[in-house]
Amino acid sequence: MEVLLSSLEESSFEWKLPLISTILVTLIALLAGSIKLKFSPPVDKKLPSGSLGFPFIGETISFLRAQRQDKTVEWIESRIAKYGPVFKTSLMGSKVVVLTGQAGNRFLFSGSDNGILSNQPMSVAKILGKHSIFELAGTRHKLVRGAIMNFLKPESIQRSVSRMDSVVQQQLFQELEGKDSVQMVGLMKKITFKVTCSLLFGLPDGKETEELLEDFTTALKGAWTVPWDLPGTVFRKALQARGRICKQLAELVRERKAKIEEGRVDSHEDIISSLITLRQENGQPLSEEEIIDNLISVVIASHDTSTVLLGLLIRHLARDTEVCKKVLEEQKQVAKAKEGKGNGKLTWGEVQMMKYTWRVAQELMRMTPPVLGNFKCAWRDTTFGGFDIPKGWQVFWVAPGTHMDKKVFEEPEKFDPSRFENPSTSVPPYAYLAFGAGPRACPGADFSRVEVLLMIHNLITKYHWAEMIIDEPIVREPMPYPAMGLPVKLYQRSTT
């Protein structure tokens, strides 16, 4: 009997080995087939030329390396030279068609029924959230955008200029008093974030705001990367930061909701209150998750663009004495106009006087756009330029495709703010994409413009500065910043 049992156990074990091997081989084959199916181009489509790189990773690593070295334009141009102005690639876990040039921009931004939505690739969508305004379409998008635009439209910003100027003055005085040197990127991030939190969200200054800033900085770095949710990766750290942001914002939303119900806060006091009281067509409010996703999107859209532009401006004004002299002269005239009123606060009228300063900013954004490009998504099969764009593929537009095109801007490598003296006639439609274009242009463009101009006014009329690191390079993570944070030596201007 024992011999029989022993032989049965041996035969059972021997039978299990080939079964396990068969299962493993089958699983591997299915996985390989799935990867091939997902990452291989459709055989029945006329796709643009290009390379999809490695499965899942695609060309992400080389793309991000180019970003960090501020060589993204060269990365794109090398593929244009090899494949043409429309080419395919794979980035951040998604198959992508890259469109460059004015015609491609018009196709994406005109608002026509082109089969393209603003849905983001996996990495970006995970950070912003599935209910982000950048993921919405149709009536839902119009509803949320309308609520946000109530606080970002020119009329609202005009009423907030003096309040914004007070916050900027207070923060600059608080941060720079008694200092003879400062890291400008960190300073600008801190102040612009506090302006956003104060004016748009009604958040008081404090430790919580500083913690939020740190988490938003970490989260943004994970938006444009390989979406590997593994220990130690940039993406994992970004998801963890988003989790902390959501927790803080959830507490804020609940507190604000209670105050609205008690009548202690006006329902249209800020964006948080507006989203809480917003009602859908069926009369239902937005969920807490929907509100939080859109608050995160507003912060990232309104804060980082301003910070990047301020870094570029401060850096250029330290290097170009002629431009700095002209900007200072204009801002002195603005200061005189402000003093004539007696209250020491800037208003919309003075902001409108800063024309040359803003042209300098526009030219800097042409040469180094804060947002190099962005993703959209084909929700159905569509075509452009004789090529198929399959349903589910991402479509990537790139600002340098027109910003640095000599057919659009004469001598594009030359810094020339006069290009924007009359932009309606000198800049062709869909050629300048600093804030996007068309119906989905950045809703925070006017807010960012005013914030930047107020900051430069208060900074340049009180200080001049010199770079402490000569020829400090620009790196993108994914926004373009001076690699070492732009440390400068500060000198107070004479008040006489």
Side-chain angles (χ1 to χ4, degrees), residues 5-19:
L5 288 172
S6 177
S7 64
L8 283 173
E9 288 172 0
E10 288 176 4
S11 63
S12 174
F13 178 71
E14 289 171 356
W15 176 80
K16 286 177 183 176
L17 278 176
L19 176 62

Side-chain angles (χ1 to χ4, degrees), residues 225-251:
T225 188
V226 180
W228 280 341
D229 186 7
L230 299 172
T233 61
V234 173
F235 190 65
R236 167 66 68 87
K237 292 175 183 177
L239 290 177
Q240 291 171 337
R242 175 187 157 82
R244 292 190 295 271
I245 292 168
C246 290
K247 185 177 179 181
Q248 275 194 260
L249 291 181
E251 291 176 5

Side-chain angles (χ1 to χ4, degrees), residues 109 134 145 149 376 435-445:
F109 289 109
F134 300 109
R145 183 182 173 93
M149 281 303 297
K376 293 178 180 286
F435 293 103
R440 290 213 176 201
C442 176

Side-chain angles (χ1 to χ4, degrees), residues 216-346:
F216 267 107
T217 302
T218 302
L220 182 62
K221 288 181 179 179
W224 279 28
T225 188
V226 180
W228 280 341
D229 186 7
L230 299 172
T233 61
V234 173
F235 190 65
R236 167 66 68 87
K237 292 175 183 177
L239 290 177
Q240 291 171 337
R242 175 187 157 82
R244 292 190 295 271
I245 292 168
C246 290
K247 185 177 179 181
Q248 275 194 260
L249 291 181
E251 291 176 5
L252 182 65
V253 168
R254 289 165 199 159
E255 289 174 6
R256 191 65 53 81
K257 192 178 293 185
K259 288 180 180 179
I260 291 172
E261 291 171 353
E262 294 167 4
R264 294 162 55 197
V265 173
D266 181 67
S267 61
H268 298 290
E269 183 169 300
D270 50 46
I271 287 180
I272 296 178
S273 303
S274 183
L275 289 175
I276 289 172
T277 56
L278 187 64
R279 293 296 178 266
Q280 304 170 51
E281 290 180 347
N282 60 6
Q284 292 297 309
L286 298 181
S287 68
E288 186 178 277
E289 185 181 2
E290 289 176 296
I291 294 171
I292 289 171
D293 285 352
N294 282 290
L295 292 178
I296 290 172
S297 300
V298 168
V299 171
I300 289 176
S302 64
H303 165 249
D304 276 283
T305 302
S306 298
T307 306
V308 168
L309 179 52
L310 282 164
L312 295 173
L313 268 166
I314 292 166
R315 179 174 180 258
H316 190 84
L317 293 175
R319 298 180 174 193
D320 192 327
T321 54
E322 188 62 32
V323 168
C324 185
K325 182 179 178 182
K326 290 180 180 179
V327 169
L328 177 60
E329 187 56 40
E330 180 176 80
Q331 295 303 331
K332 283 181 176 178
Q333 295 302 315
V334 171
K336 286 181 181 178
K338 179 178 68 173
E339 289 166 7
K341 295 181 178 181
N343 63 0
K345 301 284 175 61
L346 288 169

